[in-house]
Amino acid sequence: SSSSSSSSSSSRGWQNGHAIPNVFAIGDISRNPMEGMKTAYTADIDGAYVAKAILQDLYSSSSSTSLDPTTTTSTTTKSIIGDYPSPITGVGSLPRLSAVSLGFRDGVLIFNDWILTGMIVSFVKWSVKVLKVAQMNGNSLADFTWNAAESLTFILHRIDIWRENMVFIVREALKGIRTIVHTITRKKAASSHLPPATSPRG
């Protein structure tokens, strides 16, 4: 499939429930365990994951023909390099990244829950095309720039995950504090309506 539309987790080729040695699949033919978008960005990650798996297979003495039926990745690949896409991104998920140019002066870029619009997006889209073509032609500067930009998306994704976790923690902490304050207030209100205690008469 084309790089613009191919994406998904790599998997070993398999038949009748058994892995076919030295066969890997990426792109539209495989199922994405992340259930994410199929874009050129994720296709690039898929390719890096498969390349890493193949290299590990070449230099690994252990082999297995068993396939985990709940996933599309062979148990050998997962045990050697880890679950997709953590060996590439450093975390267990991919950022939701998509850029659409709307002419030369406008565009929309989506990164997780963040949205950027304007001329800068058109420039980013143009830069992606130029850099990737130059990288494929063996330009070392383009290769360095592409890898640096890709690493930056991973770092920003980790920061965004940390931000979301902190927001969740703070929100839950505030809910707990409100519950405690409400309970204390109710107890004080209830005690203020009790009749005063009197000493027993002897």
Side-chain angles (χ1 to χ4, degrees):
S1 59
S2 65
S3 63
S4 63
S5 63
S6 64
S7 161
S8 52
S9 171
S10 68
S11 64
R12 285 182 181 277
W14 65 292
Q15 185 175 28
N16 298 327
H18 297 284
I20 302 175
N22 304 322
V23 176
F24 293 82
I26 62 172
D28 295 339
I29 196 173
S30 58
R31 180 175 61 86
N32 188 350
M34 306 301 301
E35 299 299 336
M37 296 184 294
K38 294 186 176 184
T39 64
Y41 173 77
T42 52
D44 196 58
I45 307 302
D46 294 345
Y49 182 83
V50 167
K52 191 176 183 70
I54 291 174
L55 287 175
Q56 290 291 349
D57 265 8
L58 290 175
Y59 295 107
S60 174
S61 58
S62 62
S63 63
S64 172
T65 57
S66 62
L67 188 73
D68 185 346
T70 62
T71 66
T72 57
T73 308
S74 71
T75 53
T76 300
T77 303
K78 291 197 298 182
S79 62
I80 293 176
I81 67 173
D83 287 327
Y84 175 91
S86 56
I88 308 301
T89 63
V91 292
S93 62
L94 283 174
R96 295 184 299 274
L97 178 60
S98 179
V100 179
S101 60
L102 304 173
F104 295 104
R105 298 174 180 262
D106 201 5
V108 178
L109 186 146
I110 300 173
F111 185 85
N112 292 341
D113 294 331
W114 303 90
I115 298 176
L116 178 66
T117 61
M119 187 181 293
I120 185 65
V121 179
S122 293
F123 175 75
V124 169
K125 188 74 173 181
W126 173 83
S127 301
V128 166
K129 180 180 68 174
V130 171
L131 278 175
K132 195 60 181 177
V133 171
Q135 184 192 39
M136 293 297 98
N137 287 330
N139 187 297
S140 58
L141 179 60
D143 183 63
F144 173 81
T145 305
W146 180 273
N147 291 329
E150 197 169 65
S151 298
L152 179 61
T153 64
F154 300 154
I155 293 172
L156 292 176
H157 182 50
R158 293 183 204 176
I159 293 174
D160 201 37
I161 291 174
W162 178 84
R163 178 192 63 82
E164 290 179 354
N165 291 337
M166 290 303 299
V167 168
F168 175 78
I169 291 171
V170 171
R171 185 184 296 118
E172 292 300 310
L174 291 175
K175 286 170 62 176
I177 292 172
R178 283 197 296 267
T179 301
I180 293 172
V181 171
H182 182 65
T183 302
I184 294 174
T185 303
R186 288 182 61 184
K187 286 183 177 180
K188 285 185 176 180
S191 62
S192 65
H193 290 85
L194 292 175
T198 57
S199 58
R201 295 183 181 181

